[in-house]
Amino acid sequence: MASNGYRNGILKGSVKVEKLSPSSNPKPSSIKSKTTSTQVSSVRRSSPASLGGVGSGVKGDSGVPGRVRVAVRLRPRNAEEQVADADFADCVELQPELKRLKLRKNNWDSDTYEFDEVLTEFASQKRVYEVVAKPVVESVLDGYNGTVMAYGQTGTGKTFTLGRLGEEDTAARGIMVRSMEDILADICPETDSISVSYLQLYMETIQDLLDPTNDNIPIVEDPKTGDVSVPGATLVEIRNQHSFVELLRLGEAHRFAANTKLNTESSRSHAILMVHVKRCVKGSEAALSIENGNGSHMSKNFRPPLVRKGKLVVVDLAGSERIDKSGSEGHTLEEAKSINLSLSALGKCINALAENSPHVPVRDSKLTRLLRDSFGGTARTSLIVTIGPSPRHRGETTSTIMFGQRAMKVENMVKIKEEFDYKSLSRRLDIQLDKLIAEHERQQKAFQDELERITIEAQNHISEVERNYAEALENEQSRYQKDYKESIKKLEEQWMLNQQKLNSDRARVEVKQEPLDMGLAVAELQKSLQNEINLRKAAEEEVNSLKSQLVQWRRSEAVGNAEVLKLRKLLEDEEHQKEKLEEEIAGLRSQLLQLSFEADETRRSLDRGGSGKILTGLDSLMSQVRNSQIKDSGNGQKAPIVNLFEQVGLQKILSLLESEDSDVRIHAVKVVANLAAEEANQEKIVQAGGLTSLLMLLKSSEDEMIRRVAAGAIANLAMNETNQELIMDQGGISLLSMTAADADDPQTLRMVAGAIANLCGNDKLQITLRGEGGIKALLGMVRCGHPDVLAQVARGIANFAKCESRASSQVWYSSTGTKAGRSLLIDDGALPWIVQNANNEASPIRRHIELALCHLAQHEVNAKDMISGGALWELVRISRDCSREDIRTLANRTLTSSPTFQAELRRLRIEC
């Protein structure tokens, strides 16, 4: 047996397996240099039909040869093998120091194979990562594409090696988790980025493990470069290790797995993790500026940065298996066929590449198309093959070893991918432009603020000058006024002095003329005295006149007060008289009603030809209706209603429902409602026309009390199946629906909901009730939010769902031969409210909703709607946590009997 390839970066020639002579090969560090300047003379000719072509995204056309490195890992015996193979030796013998493996044919003959690494069953996860995946991860960080893939029989530890999260035991972390740790530790978060896609290839269909609704994703190939991509997959940017582990956990939850004889959790799909690493090359801009002879700051700012893009692909292949050993059957058998076909296509491609065949059947499988770059392409690829020690599986172990031997003959042309990041340059220019705009705005704002400050200071200065001028003007005016007053005062003093001097001169002149004018002065004094006497007499007369008027006014006031007292007394007498008249009117009204009823009774008696004897006691009816408070609890408290019914008669009580007096109607409808609560009275009330009268009251009355009590009476009558049909025939559900739409009072809505809930329990009326808006009326009343109203709504939905489940179990197919349609409740939009209140705190609401969910689930045609609406989770919760054993048993039976529910629970890996 011959092997040809690299081991740890050293080229090996074609020699026998037992003795291999290494030859020289460029060191791995040369791969990290720019490929534009790398010329390799001893490069193996790339096959034109290789799995991966040369991409135009790389910086140069030449590449570095790199063989697919293959490591083998032995799984220790499991518990079953320790018992079954206790008397047999392992079929595999490892020589890790020589990197050899011996596969025993029998006790005296064996075949020897060499690999790049041989890992015993005691090898730690860290050592596996360092020898298999770490060189690939370092190449990806340097801008190359890299692939790490696990191949082997089912149950040999492929998923353990690659995808183990290691949450309980840190040492058990797999290659995926350790690779991301090294990548995150090496990149710069400010300039570099990492994005991840997680896919599975299941039954030749590519599905997104991060978004299960995104299935059947197409593969896109670049016609120029031949690069393969899946642009329809979800791409998540990774910032820290915790988010990556959560992403892996989410993907593993959506991956298909099944229980086989070889493995209890056998992967039924190929899992593909794609990690895209984008790194900015440090110092590239300075180097380019020096090469171009232009090191100015401006040219550096406008030069695009150099970016290296590397892609790490980690492939966890589903295990190859034989049907007779795995025990696959049914759908699991179809999965196994699909897995074996895709692995067979991969083996054919590797055989063609190893033999330099002119044709490589890449398009035989989507797996080979996805791995086009990993074998014979431009990626650095490491393959780990996992085997088991059991001699029972010697054939599968041999096939796995031969697959690894053929893969070691495949050579890739590893190329670095460097490109100018024009988008980054555009973003940087945009940021710089935004900074300049912001700086301009700040300067403009500062200029405006400075201008406003100068304006305010100028205005303050002008105001201060104006204020100082006003104060100076005011001071000057006050000074002038003070001087003016002082001048006036001096002039007045001067005038007084002049006047005194003049008076003294005049007095001297009058003394000289006094004897001459004495007679004239006496005459003038007498005349003035007489005038004064006349004025005094006139004043006395006027005072006397005013006194007489005052006396008259006091007398008039006394008379007025007496008249007011008389008028007040007359007003009080009028009020007493009015009260007596009102009492008399009330009595006359009752007598009038009595006479009218007696006249009606007399007319009916005469029509029947009777003796004319009329039942008396209507006055007692009126007094009891007006004065007694009818209560609902206790047999002794219902005695007045029974006595009233026996003494007066049902017909007279029902006639009061048409009274013009609203109080009479209210009390009468209360009497009828209490009578309707007794099953013995319901038939009599319906035969006497009481149902029709109650429906008319519900339709015509605007009084909230009357409508509430009438709805309660109808709810009591609706407990009888015969009455239910009569209510529907007379349009009762339409009237109840209109009342529910118009009413706001919770008690009224409770009565209406109770009546509709009773009607929902009749199998014969479901189509009519739904057609006349009964279900929508129930759902409309949830706007009230009152617990009693919601309890009645839940009871009605439970009754309706129970009737539907009973009907679906009796008549599974309609008269046309087709399967019966889904529930009318789901058609009317009741499912969201049912799911929302399935775990309501109020036990009456929760109990009815749980029953409704169980009854809806019994009809298989409702299963898909219930799954999409979230009802399946509530059914699982009811089957586990419901306090009532009968409901819990019904939920378990329903989940077990439904194929659709069972398939969804298996898909979600939920045990019920």
Side-chain angles (χ1 to χ4, degrees):
M1 180 175 298
S3 176
N4 183 20
Y6 285 83
R7 176 194 293 173
N8 297 330
I10 301 176
L11 184 64
K12 298 187 296 181
S14 298
V15 295
K16 290 184 180 180
V17 174
E18 286 78 2
K19 187 175 182 180
L20 298 177
S21 58
S23 60
S24 61
N25 190 47
K27 293 182 180 180
S29 60
S30 64
I31 298 176
K32 299 182 181 180
S33 63
K34 295 184 179 178
T35 58
T36 55
S37 59
T38 304
Q39 299 294 334
V40 181
S41 59
S42 59
V43 177
R44 177 180 173 272
R45 182 178 58 86
S46 178
S47 174
S50 61
L51 275 169
V54 178
S56 63
V58 296
K59 189 175 179 182
D61 294 333
S62 60
V64 177
R67 179 181 55 77
V68 175
R69 299 186 74 256
V70 182
V72 62
R73 185 181 192 185
L74 178 65
R75 172 183 57 79
R77 286 193 178 191
N78 54 31
E80 180 184 356
E81 292 171 348
Q82 289 177 356
V83 175
D85 301 335
D87 297 332
F88 300 94
D90 293 346
C91 68
V92 177
E93 179 183 352
L94 302 183
Q95 295 177 342
E97 65 281 354
L98 300 177
K99 294 183 172 56
R100 289 181 180 177
L101 176 149
K102 287 187 177 182
L103 179 64
R104 292 192 178 92
K105 294 182 179 180
N106 46 48
N107 291 335
W108 58 87
D109 191 12
S110 63
D111 293 330
T112 304
Y113 302 93
E114 276 202 14
F115 289 92
D116 294 305
E117 292 291 341
V118 175
L119 303 169
T120 67
E121 64 271 28
F122 305 107
S124 65
Q125 291 281 75
K126 181 178 180 181
R127 170 166 170 75
V128 173
Y129 168 73
E130 289 179 346
V131 301
V132 174
K134 190 167 184 178
V136 178
V137 174
E138 292 175 349
S139 298
V140 170
L141 290 171
D142 289 334
Y144 298 92
N145 290 342
T147 303
V148 178
M149 187 169 65
Y151 179 90
Q153 183 188 6
T154 298
T156 55
K158 297 182 299 300
T159 304
F160 176 84
T161 301
L162 295 182
R164 190 66 179 266
L165 299 183
E167 294 178 320
E168 296 84 4
D169 184 7
T170 307
R173 291 169 297 168
I175 288 176
M176 291 182 181
V177 177
R178 294 177 184 269
S179 299
M180 185 55 66
E181 287 178 350
D182 283 356
I183 292 173
L184 288 171
D186 193 73
I187 68 166
C188 178
E190 289 77 11
T191 58
D192 305 338
S193 65
I194 306 172
S195 55
V196 172
S197 296
Y198 202 11
L199 310 173
Q200 70 173 353
L201 179 59
Y202 175 73
M203 302 288 285
E204 282 301 305
T205 302
I206 299 177
Q207 301 176 356
D208 196 337
L209 290 175
L210 304 182
D211 183 8
T213 60
N214 186 15
D215 56 358
N216 199 12
I217 303 174
I219 300 175
V220 178
E221 296 183 13
D222 191 335
K224 296 181 179 180
T225 64
D227 289 343
V228 177
S229 62
V230 279
T234 302
L235 198 62
V236 180
E237 188 170 354
I238 301 300
R239 294 293 185 184
N240 51 62
Q241 186 70 12
H242 176 72
S243 62
F244 177 70
V245 173
E246 291 297 323
L247 182 141
L248 289 182
R249 184 184 292 109
L250 175 64
E252 288 300 321
H254 294 148
R255 190 177 177 187
F256 287 96
N259 184 9
T260 66
K261 292 181 179 180
L262 297 177
N263 192 0
T264 58
E265 285 290 332
S266 176
S267 301
R268 313 309 293 168
S269 65
H270 307 298
I272 303 165
L273 177 70
M274 295 184 177
V275 182
H276 302 268
V277 181
K278 182 178 179 182
R279 305 190 68 185
C280 183
V281 180
K282 297 181 179 180
S284 61
E285 297 179 359
L288 286 174
S289 63
I290 293 172
E291 289 174 4
N292 296 334
N294 185 6
S296 65
H297 177 73
M298 186 61 67
S299 62
K300 181 178 178 180
N301 288 338
F302 289 99
R303 180 175 296 108
L306 189 63
V307 174
R308 288 180 180 174
K309 293 182 178 180
K311 180 173 71 173
L312 174 64
V313 180
V314 183
V315 185
D316 181 11
L317 295 175
S320 60
E321 59 184 48
R322 291 185 180 179
I323 306 303
D324 56 345
K325 290 187 177 182
S326 63
S328 301
E329 59 184 9
H331 185 68
T332 309
L333 177 59
E334 296 299 323
E335 293 174 339
K337 290 179 180 179
S338 177
I339 293 169
N340 290 338
L341 284 174
S342 61
L343 293 176
S344 175
L346 179 61
K348 290 178 181 179
C349 291
I350 291 179
N351 287 340
L353 289 169
E355 297 171 1
N356 286 330
S357 174
H359 172 68
V360 180
V362 177
R363 295 187 174 274
D364 287 357
S365 171
K366 289 187 177 180
L367 177 63
T368 56
R369 292 180 65 191
L370 284 172
L371 299 178
R372 185 171 184 173
D373 193 45
S374 302
F375 293 94
T378 61
R380 183 180 297 279
T381 302
S382 285
L383 172 66
I384 180 168
V385 293
T386 57
I387 58 176
S390 174
R392 290 181 299 163
H393 304 306
R394 180 182 289 106
E396 288 81 357
T397 303
T398 303
S399 176
T400 302
I401 292 174
M402 295 307 299
F403 180 89
Q405 289 290 299
R406 288 191 295 271
M408 291 176 67
K409 298 179 181 181
V410 179
E411 285 192 1
N412 296 343
M413 293 299 295
V414 183
K415 295 185 179 183
I416 191 169
K417 188 173 183 180
E418 293 180 346
E419 61 184 23
F420 291 112
D421 191 358
Y422 292 100
K423 292 183 179 179
S424 177
L425 175 62
S426 176
R427 287 195 299 270
R428 189 168 61 187
L429 293 177
D430 289 339
I431 293 172
Q432 187 174 359
L433 179 60
D434 291 338
K435 289 182 178 178
L436 292 175
I437 292 174
E439 183 65 25
H440 174 70
E441 289 181 350
R442 283 194 294 270
Q443 292 178 358
Q444 188 176 6
K445 182 64 169 58
F447 175 75
Q448 294 290 340
D449 294 342
E450 183 67 18
L451 184 61
E452 291 180 359
R453 185 185 64 79
I454 294 173
T455 304
I456 292 172
E457 289 181 356
Q459 290 178 351
N460 294 335
H461 183 66
I462 292 172
S463 299
E464 185 177 359
V465 171
E466 290 178 349
R467 186 168 57 255
N468 294 335
Y469 175 77
E471 291 178 356
L473 182 60
E474 186 178 356
N475 294 334
E476 191 69 21
Q477 287 179 352
S478 62
R479 186 173 61 81
Y480 287 143
Q481 288 178 356
K482 185 177 180 181
D483 294 342
Y484 173 74
K485 290 180 180 179
E486 290 179 354
S487 301
I488 294 297
K489 186 176 180 182
K490 291 179 180 180
L491 292 174
E492 287 179 351
E493 293 177 353
Q494 186 65 34
W495 181 80
M496 290 294 294
L497 294 174
N498 294 335
Q499 191 68 23
Q500 290 177 1
K501 185 177 179 182
L502 182 60
N503 289 335
S504 61
D505 293 341
R506 187 176 297 172
R508 285 194 298 270
V509 173
E510 287 179 356
V511 171
K512 294 179 180 178
Q513 294 178 355
E514 184 177 356
L516 297 176
D517 296 335
M518 184 62 70
L520 296 173
V522 170
E524 290 178 0
L525 288 174
Q526 289 179 354
K527 185 177 181 180
S528 299
L529 181 61
Q530 187 63 38
N531 291 333
E532 291 291 334
I533 291 171
N534 294 333
L535 291 173
R536 182 177 181 183
K537 289 181 179 179
E540 289 177 355
E541 290 176 357
E542 188 175 356
V543 170
N544 292 331
S545 175
L546 291 173
K547 287 182 178 180
S548 61
Q549 290 178 6
L550 180 60
V551 172
Q552 292 179 359
W553 287 343
R554 287 179 178 175
R555 291 176 182 174
S556 300
E557 184 181 3
V559 174
N561 290 336
E563 290 293 333
V564 169
L565 292 175
K566 289 180 181 180
L567 291 174
R568 286 181 179 175
K569 187 175 181 181
L570 289 174
L571 182 60
E572 292 176 357
D573 294 339
E574 290 291 336
E575 288 180 354
H576 290 304
Q577 189 67 21
K578 181 180 178 181
E579 292 177 357
K580 290 180 181 180
L581 289 175
E582 288 177 352
E583 293 176 359
E584 291 177 2
I585 289 172
L588 291 174
R589 182 180 295 175
S590 62
Q591 292 177 8
L592 179 61
L593 289 174
Q594 179 180 356
L595 291 176
S596 63
F597 287 129
E598 290 177 355
D600 292 340
E601 188 64 28
T602 303
R603 183 167 59 254
R604 294 191 187 96
S605 299
L606 291 177
D607 292 339
R608 292 195 300 269
S611 60
K613 183 177 180 181
I614 303 173
L615 294 174
T616 61
L618 184 59
D619 51 348
S620 64
L621 167 64
M622 297 301 297
S623 61
Q624 291 186 37
V625 169
R626 289 180 178 277
N627 299 326
S628 64
Q629 299 293 331
I630 302 174
K631 300 181 179 179
D632 295 334
S633 60
N635 297 329
Q637 294 174 342
K638 291 185 178 180
I641 298 297
V642 178
N643 296 336
L644 185 62
F645 178 60
E646 294 175 354
Q647 292 175 6
V648 180
L650 180 61
Q651 193 64 40
K652 290 185 179 181
I653 296 174
L654 294 177
S655 64
L656 291 177
L657 296 176
E658 301 176 1
S659 173
E660 296 180 356
D661 192 337
S662 60
D663 293 336
V664 174
R665 288 201 307 273
I666 291 173
H667 291 297
V669 75
K670 286 183 178 180
V671 173
V672 175
N674 282 276
L675 290 173
E678 297 291 335
E679 187 175 358
N681 300 331
Q682 293 179 358
E683 183 177 0
K684 298 178 183 178
I685 293 173
V686 174
Q687 290 178 353
L691 177 59
T692 304
S693 299
L694 290 171
L695 291 174
M696 288 300 297
L697 274 179
L698 198 63
K699 179 179 181 181
S700 59
S701 178
E702 297 181 355
D703 188 277
E704 187 71 20
M705 176 69 75
I706 293 177
R707 291 198 298 174
R708 178 167 66 249
V709 181
I714 295 172
N716 290 336
L717 294 176
M719 291 187 293
N720 185 283
E721 184 175 355
T722 304
N723 296 341
Q724 292 172 356
E725 297 180 1
L726 292 174
I727 292 172
M728 295 295 294
D729 292 340
Q730 297 184 26
I733 192 63
S734 299
L735 293 174
L736 290 169
S737 299
M738 289 189 296
T739 304
D742 298 337
D744 293 326
D745 181 61
Q747 298 304 321
T748 304
L749 293 175
R750 181 174 67 87
M751 297 297 182
V752 174
I756 298 178
N758 291 336
L759 296 173
C760 287
N762 195 319
D763 300 349
K764 304 174 183 178
L765 306 177
Q766 287 207 315
I767 302 298
T768 306
L769 185 141
R770 187 252 184 173
E772 295 184 5
I775 301 302
K776 291 186 177 180
L778 272 179
L779 296 176
M781 283 185 279
V782 302
R783 70 183 189 277
C784 173
H786 196 279
D788 295 340
V789 178
L790 297 181
Q792 294 298 330
V793 172
R795 184 171 68 87
I797 290 176
N799 290 342
F800 198 93
K802 182 179 181 181
C803 292
E804 278 192 331
S805 66
R806 191 161 53 231
S808 65
S809 63
Q810 295 175 356
V811 183
W812 182 250
Y813 290 88
S814 62
S815 59
T816 60
T818 59
K819 207 170 184 180
R822 65 177 182 176
S823 169
L824 299 176
L825 288 171
I826 297 178
D827 287 340
D828 280 355
L831 186 59
W833 185 84
I834 293 175
V835 174
Q836 182 182 358
N837 290 270
N839 201 12
N840 196 291
E841 295 180 357
S843 59
I845 301 174
R846 184 177 64 256
R847 184 178 68 255
H848 291 307
I849 293 298
E850 290 173 347
L851 283 173
L853 280 173
C854 293
H855 290 312
L856 284 174
Q858 290 181 356
H859 198 179
E860 182 66 17
V861 76
N862 299 331
K864 290 185 177 180
D865 293 306
M866 297 184 71
I867 291 173
S868 61
L872 177 59
W873 299 105
E874 296 299 334
L875 281 172
V876 173
R877 181 192 58 78
I878 293 170
S879 67
R880 296 175 178 176
D881 303 333
C882 183
S883 58
R884 289 187 50 174
E885 184 178 358
D886 55 343
I887 299 177
R888 192 167 62 251
T889 303
L890 179 59
N892 275 313
R893 186 168 64 249
T894 302
L895 290 173
T896 306
S897 61
S898 172
T900 305
F901 287 154
Q902 286 296 311
E904 181 67 13
L905 291 175
R906 285 196 301 272
R907 189 182 75 83
L908 298 175
R909 301 180 183 179
I910 297 177
E911 296 181 359
C912 185

